[in-house]
Every structure is written in structure tokens, then in C-alpha cells.
Amino acid sequence: MKTALRFINAEMKKAGIDYHFQKNRKPKATYPYFVGELVPADPVTEDGRKEFTLILDGFNRESPQTEGTLLELFAEAEKIEEHFPPVEGLAAVSGDQAVAVFYCSCQPEESGDEQLQKIRIDLTVKTWKGGN
């Protein structure tokens, strides 16, 4: 799983997305940003494939860098979709493990704060581990 998480982190940087795994640990948040949580989707298959859903929660509020709109979050979602295409995905091989990431969906969500915009993006993450 570490290989997949490193791959996702590096690719989010390449796409220009402010991404954090589990929690944004910056002393002061800069908007928009995304926080990811990896959830197992299927049990391991006989070919060694594992599948996960990466739930990305995107947050935006008015700040010096952004107007704080939902539209700005959707623009970030489009960047993510372009970087991890829904059909072809984005794949890499590292050592004896392969990783592929696919964009699935995006929808707005309530944040519980009038000033804070939120969306949820789901990515499918598949990993395979080869033999020695």
C-alpha cells in the first residue's frame, strides 16, 4: 500500500493539487486543498490484485488565494480527472508492484460551515504484486 500512496502523492503534486493523506497538517490551511482516505473495496483476488477507493474530500473557502467558490473546487476536480482518466487510468510499476489509479466520480457535499465549500471525489486504486 505504501507504493500506491507514494505514487498518488507524487502524481497529485505533478497535477498541481494540494493533497494530504488522512489530515492536512499544515499550521495554516491554504485553499483549496484535498484530504484523502484509502478504503479497501474488494478482497484480494487470485491474481494478487487489491482494489481500494481513495476518497478525496476537497475544501475551499475565501482566502487571499481563492474566492472560496464551489466552482473553483470543480475546476480542481477536472484537473484530477484529466490526470487520472476514468477509462485508461494512470499506472506505474515500482519494483514488483504495479499501481493504477482511475477517476470515478465527484459530487458536492455539505461541510457544516456556511463559508466552507466541500466536494467528494472517488478514485479507484488497483495494485498488483508480482512474484520474485
Side-chain angles (χ1 to χ4, degrees):
M1 185 177 346
K2 286 194 307 190
T3 300
L5 292 173
R6 281 191 207 115
F7 174 69
I8 292 164
N9 189 51
E11 292 301 323
M12 289 291 190
K13 282 183 184 172
K14 286 181 189 176
I17 303 297
D18 186 3
Y19 164 75
H20 308 270
F21 184 66
Q22 297 283 353
K23 183 178 183 179
N24 186 344
R25 290 181 172 75
K26 286 183 175 178
K28 184 169 167 92
T30 54
Y31 295 94
Y33 71 87
F34 288 82
V35 175
E37 176 183 354
L38 201 59
V39 179
D42 288 328
V44 178
T45 61
E46 61 189 40
D47 66 353
R49 180 180 54 86
K50 294 180 184 177
E51 188 169 319
F52 304 89
T53 298
L54 179 65
I55 300 168
L56 291 173
D57 289 320
F59 301 94
N60 197 20
R61 77 168 67 235
E62 188 175 346
S63 70
Q65 300 85 12
T66 178
E67 294 177 12
T69 66
L70 195 55
L71 193 57
E72 289 169 313
L73 278 176
F74 281 122
E76 294 293 294
E78 283 181 4
K79 287 172 30 180
I80 293 170
E81 182 176 10
E82 288 171 8
H83 201 79
F84 302 101
V87 177
E88 317 75 65
L90 183 66
V93 176
S94 177
D96 67 344
Q97 189 169 11
V99 178
V101 181
F102 306 84
Y103 178 91
C104 284
S105 63
C106 175
Q107 63 268 349
E109 290 194 337
E110 285 294 321
S111 69
D113 178 344
E114 267 184 35
Q115 305 302 314
L116 184 66
Q117 303 298 319
K118 182 179 178 185
I119 62 171
R120 174 182 163 157
I121 299 171
D122 289 347
L123 302 178
T124 298
V125 179
K126 297 180 182 188
T127 64
W128 294 265
K129 195 160 187 158
N132 294 341

